[in-house]
Amino acid sequence: MSRHRWAAAAVVLFGLAATDPAHARSFDIPAGPLGEVAARLGAQAGITIAITDPDIAARRSPGVRGDLPVRAALDRALRGTGAEAIFYDRTTVRLVRSRAVPKRPPLQKAAPPKAPAVQVDPTDIVVTASKQNVPLDRFPGSAKIVGLDPDWLARSAPAGTAAIAAVLPTLNATNLGRGRNKIYVRGIADSSFNGPTQATVGQYLGDVRLSYNAPDPDLNLYDLDRVEVLAGPQGTLYGAGSIGGIVRLVPNGPDSGSAYASASLGVSATRFGGVGGDVAAMVNLPLAQGRMGLRAVVYGAREAGYIDDPGRKRRDINSGHNFGQRLIWRIDDVAGWTVDVGGVYQRIRADDGQYLLRGEPPLERRNSLSQPFRNEYHLAYVTARRPMGGGELVSTSSVTRQDLSTVFDATGDDAAAAPRRFEEQNDITFWSHETRLSGGSAKTPWIAGLAAIHNVSRVSRWLGPPDAPEQITGVRNRQLEFALFGQATLPVTPSLHLTMGGRLSMSRGAGRLVGEGAGPEETSRRREQFAATVALDWRLGPSLSIYWHYQGGFRAGGFAVAPAGSATDSQEFLNDELGQVELGVRWRDKDRDRLSVRAALFSVDWNNIQADLVDEAGLPYTANIGNGRIYGLDGEIQWRATPSLTVTAAAFLNQSFLYDVPPEFGEPTKNTLPNIPDDGVRVGVEWRTRLARNIELAVDGSFRGFGKSNLGVGPLLDVSQGNYGVVGIGARLGFRRFGLSLDISNLGDTRANSFAFGNPFGLAGRNQITPVRPRTIRLGIDARF
């Protein structure tokens, strides 16, 4: 799609917007204990208000009544309580003891009232993924915080990671199918395929790491509070597997002050396809008033298929299903500790692949057999935290079990050949622990901690006739890692602050072949690595700051099956290391808080790049593909034209180079890293207005443009993909306790190749494409109880 058409689509979205008087919410909360008042205020406003101090929760609040913006209502509820509110983002608030009691100002003539607004001052927004609660406007790096409004979640949560990527153009993913994709942040991509390499992006649920060397678990977002995305590498604070950055999902915690619930239901229809649906529910129960609470989420969805197989006389073969649940049990004040015990279970199942072949009729593909996929995910964790001096001590332990099953049609292009089936079973068990102590002020935070992980993955493979495939060589890898880390910020001048930190990691890895003919020998290796960070943050004024940041990161090596034609059955792949230098600027209209701008230039040097690949026989293997450099620019603008209308725009440019490529990959015709678009853009418009008492209307629209990229390295994978744009629109009519919504994705029914891969045994044909899901309409209803 040409840049001119991208710009035209963006103009259309701007044309959807209009202006309207500022809106407020209606509150009717009687006086009472602050804990009860805050719980009701949070439920009526659709925000999370946390109180961890029982003394504050017991203080008398005057309550709040009337039509007010959220912040004004909260200020009124806190009058005379000796407490103050700290905003972590637009929808997350913590009530604490007042840090200072200001003197009563002299009586003055009342000023004319200002237009109410629900925007939060960015100086109050905290980057909790920094593990030090650093304010966003003082964080020396690229951080994106997406506050998840409950109304938006009711409409978008079933899409999982795709819903986050839809609002953040620097977050990209492959499109093999839900539960089997690899995600990337700001163009740091190693390959398009899954295998034993560690992920480039670390994914977290709160303080809990979700995976090690598995594809994106793609959790449903329902009842999450916010998402934080930090551009990588983040080796100092997060260790191996964060060279591209981290994505942190922050769930709403249990509220021990009151009982309430919410639910959503949606029905969708895809053009040329079937009917889908989704359902989700949350319940919060106080088990002991002010001391213990339970929060549970359950959800399920059916994704409609839209690809037909006329050879097998089947329609909509690529439909999928998912089901899951999350649970958090919180106990407050256990000898000064707050303890969370939680768990996650999710099952994703796809009936077939979602790729097509060039030359076939639209949305049709012929195969000898179905190619199902299954991803079953289990997580259990314990997190304990307590104040310690002027800081906080946090300790988290977790265990994850992930079982992935993949089937491919290995028959090949010869229609007369006997059907062949390839099956891969990947069983992963992952243990993780971290204990850290943080403290200091907002300007001079510090942190120190230790971490340990243990990951065991076993890949078993079968190939042969569909009813009796034979086991072929697989691989088993173990990785044990222990790390010490620390970071601190010091003032150089009142306006210039220096941040320095490092992480020392000691690891031991071992691997061996498994399956038919594999021996018991195990290849092991030990390695020590150090990742450093240095940053400067220079505040040129109340509205303007500049930062410079160097970060390092790495991934551990491993053991893999050798490609077809090799002299040996197995081979090792080496550690890869990545360093990034970034220069960024932030500016916002501090007086009126209507306009904010952020931009960053970055340069990446990546050595011994690990990549999961596919050989000429269609079988997966892993190798180091050379060294790479990436140069890029990304930025975003947010303009609050009126209290009701907000316009956002974000874009990035990337230029990547691959060099020192091993001879076995041949001479690449395009000397670029795989799966990295040259550019990307998103423009969004959101408009809210109040139609009547307790009735609100929200309308939004967005355009997302995807640049051109390459599938992989070498002649076999030198296939182009991307270069298209999609438009989405939606609306929600909100009442006091429920809402009705309508959303349309891919409004223009764009047809493009989003990902040039679907089956490794057909890659030699270089004719695979993954279409964008055709226009899909969803009708939804959500309610709060």
Side-chain angles (χ1 to χ4, degrees):
M1 184 176 183
S2 70
R3 298 176 190 272
H4 297 294
R5 291 174 64 190
W6 285 13
V11 169
V12 171
L13 288 175
F14 275 103
L16 294 175
T19 58
D20 195 79
H23 70 282
R25 295 180 182 269
S26 179
F27 296 95
D28 185 11
I29 305 171
L34 180 57
E36 297 180 8
V37 172
R40 294 181 180 178
L41 194 153
Q44 293 184 19
I47 64 174
T48 299
I49 303 177
I51 308 177
T52 58
D53 189 333
D55 176 65
I56 294 177
R59 295 180 183 180
R60 184 76 175 174
S61 166
V64 56
R65 286 186 169 89
D67 296 337
L68 299 167
V70 173
R71 173 160 277 198
L74 192 54
D75 289 342
R76 187 169 297 183
L78 292 177
R79 288 179 182 173
T81 64
E84 64 177 327
I86 297 177
F87 279 77
Y88 289 87
D89 54 40
R90 292 178 60 181
T91 60
T92 309
V93 187
R94 184 181 181 186
L95 303 187
V96 299
R97 298 174 188 269
S98 296
R99 289 167 285 191
V101 180
K103 294 182 179 180
R104 185 183 181 116
L107 293 175
Q108 297 180 356
K109 185 177 179 179
K114 296 181 179 180
V118 297
Q119 290 278 58
V120 177
D121 190 332
T123 58
D124 290 333
I125 299 178
V126 174
V127 184
T128 57
S130 69
K131 301 185 179 182
Q132 305 158 80
N133 291 342
V134 178
L136 179 59
D137 69 339
R138 291 185 177 275
F139 182 75
S142 291
K144 315 286 176 59
I145 298 180
V146 182
L148 303 181
D149 183 276
D151 301 341
W152 181 87
L153 277 177
R155 299 158 53 191
S156 306
T161 303
I164 306 171
V167 298
L168 294 178
T170 54
L171 181 64
N172 291 278
T174 60
N175 195 16
L176 189 58
R178 184 160 190 176
R180 58 201 304 192
N181 292 324
K182 300 179 77 168
I183 63 173
Y184 314 108
V185 175
R186 205 157 67 174
I188 299 178
D190 53 359
S191 78
S192 300
F193 314 105
N194 296 316
T197 60
Q198 195 172 357
T200 61
V201 175
Q203 293 179 262
Y204 289 78
L205 180 68
D207 292 304
V208 182
R209 188 165 175 173
L210 293 174
S211 62
Y212 180 83
N213 64 337
D216 173 22
D218 211 345
L219 299 182
N220 188 296
L221 306 180
Y222 193 73
D223 196 47
L224 290 185
D225 173 54
R226 65 188 181 278
V227 175
E228 300 180 359
V229 178
L230 303 189
Q234 292 291 330
T236 299
L237 295 182
Y238 288 92
S242 61
I243 59 174
I246 66 126
V247 175
R248 184 169 180 261
L249 310 178
V250 183
N252 288 308
D255 177 2
S256 59
S258 60
Y260 49 90
S262 65
S264 71
L265 175 68
V267 177
S268 59
T270 298
R271 190 185 184 202
F272 307 118
V275 176
D278 59 86
V279 61
M282 179 278 298
V283 61
N284 183 89
L285 298 173
L287 304 181
Q289 189 70 23
R291 296 179 62 89
M292 186 185 301
L294 181 73
R295 197 177 190 104
V297 176
V298 63
Y299 53 84
R302 181 186 186 278
E303 294 184 342
Y306 48 87
I307 295 175
D308 300 335
D309 187 339
R312 293 185 292 143
K313 298 181 180 180
R314 295 188 178 181
R315 296 180 56 84
D316 305 330
I317 60 173
N318 62 318
S319 60
H321 306 78
N322 65 80
F323 168 81
Q325 49 196 335
R326 299 196 310 268
L327 180 72
I328 306 177
W329 174 37
R330 175 169 295 173
I331 309 172
D332 289 316
D333 197 19
V334 181
W337 292 86
T338 296
V339 179
D340 284 352
V341 179
V344 177
Y345 170 76
Q346 180 172 275
R347 182 183 68 247
I348 297 174
R349 191 186 78 219
D351 296 337
D352 212 317
Q354 58 186 32
Y355 69 99
L356 302 173
L357 302 176
R358 295 186 189 275
E360 295 284 337
L363 300 180
E364 288 187 6
R365 187 190 76 234
R366 296 172 183 267
N367 282 103
S368 300
L369 48 89
S370 62
Q371 304 174 82
F373 169 79
R374 178 179 56 82
N375 183 337
E376 197 156 337
Y377 183 86
H378 305 78
L379 168 67
Y381 65 89
V382 177
T383 298
R385 62 182 71 236
R386 66 165 298 165
M388 182 166 287
E392 184 182 44
L393 179 65
V394 181
S395 183
T396 299
S397 298
S398 65
V399 59
T400 300
R401 173 73 182 184
Q402 195 163 3
D403 300 314
L404 301 104
S405 176
T406 305
V407 173
F408 287 117
D409 181 357
T411 306
D413 296 331
D414 185 358
R420 299 175 75 225
R421 170 189 171 104
F422 173 82
E423 182 174 353
E424 180 180 88
Q425 180 70 36
N426 190 356
D427 301 315
I428 303 169
T429 304
F430 174 53
W431 291 269
S432 176
H433 173 81
E434 180 184 271
T435 296
R436 67 179 188 264
L437 179 64
S438 61
S441 66
K443 295 182 179 180
T444 57
W446 58 264
I447 184 173
L450 58 88
I453 63 171
H454 184 222
N455 187 80
V456 179
S457 65
R458 180 187 177 99
V459 178
S460 303
R461 308 188 300 177
W462 295 263
L463 179 63
D467 54 347
E470 295 181 358
Q471 188 170 17
I472 61 176
T473 305
V475 67
R476 181 182 185 271
N477 273 289
R478 293 188 298 113
Q479 186 72 26
L480 177 64
E481 179 184 310
F482 179 79
L484 300 173
F485 64 91
Q487 184 172 296
T489 300
L490 301 172
V492 179
T493 70
S495 61
L496 180 65
H497 288 75
L498 171 67
T499 298
M500 299 183 67
R503 186 185 191 99
L504 176 63
S505 298
M506 296 149 281
S507 63
R508 180 182 185 275
R512 65 180 176 88
L513 297 180
V514 297
E516 187 68 24
E521 306 85 25
E522 188 172 68
T523 301
S524 63
R525 61 209 170 275
R526 296 176 184 269
R527 185 75 183 257
E528 292 184 0
Q529 288 193 269
F530 184 78
T533 184
V534 181
L536 288 170
D537 184 69
W538 186 18
R539 300 184 64 82
L540 300 176
S543 301
L544 179 64
S545 65
I546 297 174
Y547 66 86
W548 174 90
H549 199 175
Y550 167 80
Q551 300 181 90
F554 60 91
R555 291 187 296 176
F559 192 74
V561 177
S566 299
T568 60
D569 294 330
S570 63
Q571 64 183 27
E572 289 189 68
F573 56 93
L574 305 176
N575 294 31
D576 59 355
E577 299 177 345
L578 187 147
Q580 176 180 270
V581 176
E582 179 179 0
L583 179 64
V585 59
R586 288 183 293 252
W587 179 87
R588 66 186 181 90
D589 180 3
K590 191 174 179 64
D591 294 333
R592 294 183 296 173
D593 196 24
R594 293 183 58 183
L595 181 67
S596 64
V597 180
R598 184 202 62 80
L601 284 166
F602 60 92
S603 171
V604 174
D605 192 9
W606 195 353
N607 297 317
N608 294 325
I609 300 172
Q610 299 173 6
D612 296 311
L613 303 167
V614 174
D615 64 24
E616 293 181 356
L619 296 173
Y621 74 102
T622 303
N624 298 92
I625 61 173
N627 303 323
R629 289 197 178 96
I630 306 171
Y631 302 98
L633 166 68
D634 80 83
E636 60 186 347
I637 299 174
Q638 183 177 48
W639 177 40
R640 190 162 57 87
T642 73
S644 299
L645 176 66
T646 301
V647 180
T648 58
F652 70 87
L653 297 172
N654 271 336
Q655 186 67 56
S656 66
F657 303 91
L658 187 66
Y659 62 98
D660 292 341
V661 180
E664 58 264 30
F665 296 109
E667 191 66 31
T669 57
K670 295 184 178 65
N671 211 30
T672 61
L673 288 169
N675 237 49
I676 300 180
D678 298 330
D679 49 38
V681 64
R682 180 188 185 273
V683 178
V685 178
E686 181 182 19
W687 176 62
R688 292 174 177 264
T689 186
R690 186 173 180 183
L691 302 179
R693 181 179 176 86
N694 298 325
I695 302 178
E696 293 184 352
L697 175 65
V699 180
D700 59 76
S702 67
F703 168 78
R704 175 85 191 269
F706 300 82
K708 186 178 180 180
S709 65
N710 237 39
L711 179 64
V713 177
L716 180 66
L717 307 179
D718 186 15
V719 184
S720 296
Q721 57 192 16
N723 198 30
Y724 66 96
V726 293
V727 173
I729 61 173
R732 180 181 182 275
L733 188 62
F735 300 88
R736 184 179 181 87
R737 292 289 185 179
F738 72 97
L740 303 173
S741 59
L742 169 66
D743 293 275
I744 306 176
S745 61
N746 193 7
L747 180 66
D749 206 23
T750 297
R751 296 190 179 186
N753 181 15
S754 66
F755 186 47
F757 173 66
N759 183 331
F761 296 94
L763 269 180
R766 297 163 51 87
N767 61 346
Q768 298 181 9
I769 62 175
T770 302
V772 181
R773 175 177 284 272
R775 183 189 304 120
T776 299
I777 300 175
R778 178 187 182 275
L779 295 172
I781 181 171
D782 58 271
R784 297 188 296 271
F785 309 98

